[in-house]
Amino acid sequence: MAEGEHSLDLLTIEGGRPLKGDISISGSKNAALPILIATLLTDEPCGVKNVPSLDDIEAVIGLLVFLGKNVVRQRDRLDITAGPTLYGEAPYELVRKMRASVVVMGPLLARLGKVKVSLPGGCAIGGRPVNIHLEGFKALGASIQLEEGYVTAEANRLQGTSFTLDFASVGATENLMMAASLARGTTLLIGAAKEPEITDLADFLNHMGARITGAGTDTLTIEGVERLHGTEHEVIPDRIETGTYMIAAAITRGDLDLHPARPEHLRELIAKLGQAGVSVDQDNGHLRVKGVKDLHPVDAETAVHPGFPTDLQAPWMALMSLARGVSHIAERVFENRFMHVPELQRMGARIQVKGPHAAVEGVDSLSGAEVMVSDLRAGAALVLAGLAAEGKTVIHRVYHLDRGYEHLERKLSAVGARIRRSQE
Ligand code: EPZ
């Protein structure tokens, strides 16, 4: 849905009830998005399973169809086949809704030799530049033009090269890995992102016939091939959804069993929850989290993987708002990712922000209030705070949450939350 068409739904939560029971984890949004876009690299049919039903996924399906693909969804499986023509232009009204669309550049440049994509523009959490993406395409031999908010990249045939990323950007690593898969010769991406979603994309590309090694390390080696073929793939579970529900168990002093889960994708969060006094047990694909009465304050500083995930910074701050003492949280990945702070303060949290630092002085309890979601993970923090708070919390602009949490209120109600959706 384009901006403004969003259903202005509300979530109303009666807080103070411990969550108990099982929650099933959906497929990873941030793995599924680049994997669906990678199907642009072949005209052969691809089948992708464990794809969550989220607004961001619907947006990327719309973009793929616009670019010439046919997409059929059957429950959590998408079948993607090629139409008669592959188009090389991604317009503003499609890209601005979901900035990860910029990752179509790599595949389209590699397949068509020319691509025109609207610059994604910023969002609530930052300017979201794409300079590293563009520097990488230039290094692969493309010429880049920027005009009227669009970027055009052209190259007869991309030429393998060695490129060092200034920052381990997830999107830039995905874009360049896909472009290099069809380049002539071998490409080294140095300082590449190591997130599990990168590894899942590399696995998908290798099953398509690409030759990528080093996924999960900071140096990717991509040996270009002539063409890629169709394949089947199952997307990894969503580690940020998993982390969010782990924190939900902790903040409500509940007891949740999350499955399927990949503890190896969440080592840093598991360690921090342990330091806070929360018990986390892992047992073949299950994560069992039990909250405690007295939470210890634990500092957190976000970093690229395997550091503390920036997408769990806001949820962690909600949890630390109820710890017995002061914790320090630093946001090192995005330049403006504290929009949840004023909303948490309205609920009684004591937080002092100075630049990228937030000092959180835990309080005995939060109180329900009317709050507004600014971005996806800030929204998650407000839901978590509402679940723990005394009284009623009304959450506005829920559409942000629908981008990244599949069946949110259904999953929470099933484990005892009093949460319901209504219209503004
Ligand atoms: C991905 O965004 C995720 N989105 C984000 O999740 C996540 O927060 C982020 O990685 C970091 O882990 C998807 O995977 C769809 P980046 P991405 O490029 O690729 C700067 C969520 O909530 N940068 O690693 O856009 C940038 O400004 C979303 O699910 C440049 O300066 O993240 C930012 O400060 C939010 N130049 C930092 O790097 C560039 O060319 C991290 O950005 C590219 C990035």
Side-chain angles (χ1 to χ4, degrees):
M1 286 178 276
E3 205 71 37
E5 280 172 33
H6 284 294
S7 61
L8 283 179
D9 286 0
L10 290 177
L11 280 179
T12 303
I13 299 173
E14 291 292 340
R17 300 161 59 87
L19 302 185
K20 294 187 190 296
D22 301 346
I23 294 184
S24 67
I25 298 298
S26 304
S28 164
K29 165 176 87 79
N30 290 350
L33 290 172
I35 283 169
L36 293 174
I37 288 170
T39 63
L40 293 166
L41 287 162
T42 182
D43 281 338
E44 295 186 16
C46 292
V48 185
K49 290 184 287 188
N50 202 26
V51 179
S53 298
L54 298 168
D55 288 355
D56 273 10
I57 298 291
E58 292 311 306
V60 87
I61 290 172
L63 180 57
L64 289 178
V65 170
F66 183 89
L67 295 170
K69 287 289 191 182
N70 304 313
V71 184
V72 175
R73 178 189 271 278
Q74 281 159 318
R75 294 199 347 282
D76 69 343
R77 178 192 165 90
L78 292 183
D79 282 290
I80 299 110
T81 53
T85 311
L86 180 63
Y87 298 95
E89 183 163 335
Y92 176 66
E93 68 270 10
L94 290 178
V95 174
R96 75 185 172 84
K97 275 191 322 176
M98 219 271 305
R99 48 175 320 290
S101 316
V102 72
V103 163
V104 303
M105 278 191 80
L108 293 175
L109 179 58
R111 289 284 312 277
L112 303 174
K114 179 170 184 177
V115 59
K116 184 177 179 186
V117 174
S118 164
L119 282 169
C123 72
I125 62 178
R128 312 297 292 272
V130 291
N131 57 304
I132 302 171
H133 301 240
L134 303 183
E135 292 307 314
F137 290 133
K138 277 191 225 163
L140 286 164
S143 66
I144 302 284
Q145 244 96 33
L146 289 172
E147 53 198 356
E148 294 161 16
Y150 279 77
V151 55
T152 302
E154 281 187 84
N156 291 332
R157 175 79 194 268
L158 294 170
Q159 179 61 41
T161 185
S162 171
F163 177 72
T164 300
L165 287 83
D166 289 347
F167 180 85
S169 155
V170 169
T173 302
E174 292 166 349
N175 232 340
L176 298 172
M177 185 161 67
M178 289 195 277
S181 297
L182 291 178
R184 183 188 294 112
T186 299
T187 297
L188 271 181
L189 293 182
I190 300 159
K194 305 186 268 193
E195 276 69 4
E197 295 77 31
I198 300 287
T199 304
D200 207 25
L201 174 61
D203 290 346
F204 181 68
L205 291 169
N206 283 338
H207 293 155
M208 293 173 80
R211 296 209 193 110
I212 300 168
T213 51
T217 75
D218 49 18
T219 303
L220 290 172
T221 304
I222 303 114
E223 208 183 309
V225 294
E226 285 306 309
R227 58 191 297 281
L228 295 175
H229 52 74
T231 189
E232 287 284 315
H233 187 80
E234 176 159 345
V235 173
I236 54 173
D238 193 310
R239 66 190 166 101
I240 305 301
E241 184 193 26
T242 306
T244 304
Y245 289 127
M246 291 175 79
I247 295 172
I251 204 170
T252 61
R253 298 175 183 156
D255 178 353
L256 291 178
D257 185 306
L258 309 176
H259 172 76
R262 301 281 288 272
E264 69 275 19
H265 291 168
L266 285 160
R267 282 198 209 295
E268 194 57 22
L269 175 68
I270 292 170
K272 296 253 179 234
L273 283 169
Q275 289 159 30
V278 176
S279 90
V280 178
D281 293 308
Q282 1 188 329
D283 174 28
N284 74 331
H286 287 254
L287 268 172
R288 181 79 179 268
V289 186
K290 290 179 191 154
V292 285
K293 195 171 166 314
D294 290 340
L295 270 172
H296 305 300
V298 176
D299 297 349
E301 181 161 334
T302 67
V304 298
H305 196 75
F308 191 88
T310 173
D311 292 347
L312 290 174
Q313 178 260 108
W316 185 256
M317 191 182 290
L319 180 64
M320 288 297 104
S321 302
L322 290 168
R324 295 261 179 272
V326 177
S327 59
H328 297 275
I329 296 174
E331 173 55 56
R332 300 282 185 216
V333 176
F334 284 99
E335 64 264 36
N336 179 34
R337 204 168 192 179
F338 281 151
M339 260 86 57
H340 43 288
V341 169
E343 302 306 303
L344 290 172
Q345 287 167 333
R346 290 170 49 72
M347 299 177 72
R350 281 203 211 118
I351 306 167
Q352 301 277 335
V353 169
K354 227 168 126 205
H357 296 274
V360 184
E361 184 190 346
V363 294
D364 290 342
S365 65
L366 295 172
S367 47
E370 294 234 24
V371 291
M372 186 170 289
V373 178
S374 51
D375 60 273
L376 170 57
R377 306 303 176 181
L382 298 178
V383 169
L384 294 170
L387 291 167
E390 286 168 7
K392 184 168 80 165
T393 298
V394 179
I395 298 179
H396 296 263
R397 297 197 183 167
V398 168
Y399 61 82
H400 288 289
L401 282 163
D402 296 336
R403 300 185 56 167
Y405 290 96
E406 187 182 46
H407 307 321
L408 178 69
E409 63 268 27
R410 189 191 307 174
K411 291 187 182 185
L412 287 172
S413 305
V415 291
R418 280 222 194 109
I419 179 170
R420 65 182 166 75
R421 184 183 286 252
S422 58
Q423 297 275 328
E424 282 273 5

